[in-house]
Amino acid sequence: MSTKTSTLEPLRVRIRRFQFIVGLGFIALVAGSALSVSLTLRLSLRVQALPFMPLKVLAAVLLENLWLLGVLPLLCYGAGRVMELKPWHTAGGAAVSGSVFVLALGFVQGGVDSLWLGGLGSVLNVAAFGVGIVVSARALMMGRAAAARQSVQTQAKAEERKSEYDEFLRAAEQGGARLEQREAQNAATANAAGDAAAPVASENTASPVEVPAASESASASTVESPGQVVHLPEQPASAAPAPAESPDATKTPAA
């Protein structure tokens, strides 16, 4: 299946190209004929007022072949801007397709005699046919050249945007690296400050707290704590030594 598809693909491409060329000539003929009719109605009096007959014939041939000398080159230029075509094949095929349609109309209207009228008019028609092919081919080449220049400019702009994006990405990476370095420095500073504060706190907790001694003269003291009152027991006062009775006082006097 894939082999048949790959074999028929070039043939399909040629058929599409042939259809495009024929359609290009037909569109040029239709648009050019409408333009020729409108210009002929406006310029007929001026053409008839020309002093020389060859000039009248030349003006009539130019108006009749306006589709070939003006419209077809414009279409070829536009086609060359959007797609890659062979200049001479495209221009010649489009001119032939349009001319065949014109000859077919003439043959239907006037028979075989209308195909070649003879004289200066027929010679100028042939010359206009050749000039139209050359002009259309040149227009197609110009369209391809303009498309190539546009592609180069687009590629250059893409490269510039890519370089700008790379610079932006590089600056963002540098900014991120600086931010990480700053955070690392802040963390190291905080750790150093914590390590320096730890020995001071340990020294403060290890130092004993001196409590002043209570006065020995106080016989009773009451210690109040938050929410509780503790009464300390009273210490008995030291009894003073009783005076020793003298032996003489205890003895009664003898009678």
Side-chain angles (χ1 to χ4, degrees):
M1 194 67 175
S2 60
T3 306
K4 290 183 179 179
T5 304
S6 61
T7 304
L8 295 177
E9 189 63 27
L11 182 60
R12 292 177 181 176
V13 172
R14 291 181 181 179
I15 292 174
R16 295 194 197 100
R17 187 173 296 174
F18 176 76
Q19 292 174 349
F20 178 79
I21 291 173
V22 173
L24 193 66
F26 182 76
I27 293 173
L29 178 62
V30 173
S33 298
L35 185 60
S36 297
V37 170
S38 63
L39 289 178
T40 301
L41 293 176
R42 293 184 179 183
L43 300 177
S44 59
L45 296 177
R46 296 183 180 181
V47 171
Q48 293 296 329
L50 293 175
F52 301 103
M53 189 62 185
L55 292 178
K56 295 179 182 180
V57 175
L58 179 62
V61 170
L62 291 177
L63 291 175
E64 183 180 355
N65 294 281
L66 185 61
W67 69 273
L68 185 60
L69 299 174
V71 179
L72 184 59
L74 291 177
L75 293 178
C76 288
Y77 179 81
R81 290 294 301 267
V82 298
M83 59 189 308
E84 189 172 355
L85 297 169
K86 296 180 180 180
W88 295 103
H89 290 79
T90 303
V96 168
S97 64
S99 299
V100 167
F101 188 76
V102 172
L103 293 176
L105 289 177
F107 177 77
V108 171
Q109 293 177 359
V112 180
D113 295 336
S114 63
L115 299 179
W116 181 261
L117 299 176
L120 182 61
S122 298
V123 174
L124 291 178
N125 283 326
V126 174
F129 179 79
V131 173
I133 292 176
V134 174
V135 174
S136 299
R138 295 290 298 175
L140 186 57
M141 293 178 185
M142 292 174 61
R144 292 304 306 159
R149 290 193 299 268
Q150 184 67 27
S151 177
V152 171
Q153 293 178 359
T154 304
Q155 187 175 3
K157 290 181 180 180
E159 292 293 336
E160 291 179 358
R161 291 180 180 178
K162 183 179 179 181
S163 61
E164 292 178 358
Y165 177 75
D166 293 339
E167 292 178 358
F168 174 77
L169 184 61
R170 193 180 301 109
E173 291 178 353
Q174 293 177 357
R178 287 195 297 268
L179 181 60
E180 292 180 357
Q181 185 178 3
R182 190 179 305 166
E183 291 179 353
Q185 291 178 356
N186 294 335
T189 303
N191 293 333
D195 295 339
V200 176
S202 60
E203 290 178 0
N204 292 334
T205 55
S207 59
V209 179
E210 295 181 357
V211 179
S215 175
E216 295 180 354
S217 63
S219 61
S221 54
T222 303
V223 179
E224 296 182 359
S225 62
Q228 185 179 5
V229 178
V230 180
H231 296 278
L232 296 178
E234 296 182 356
Q235 296 180 357
S238 59
E245 294 181 358
S246 61
D248 294 337
T250 58
K251 294 180 179 182
T252 60

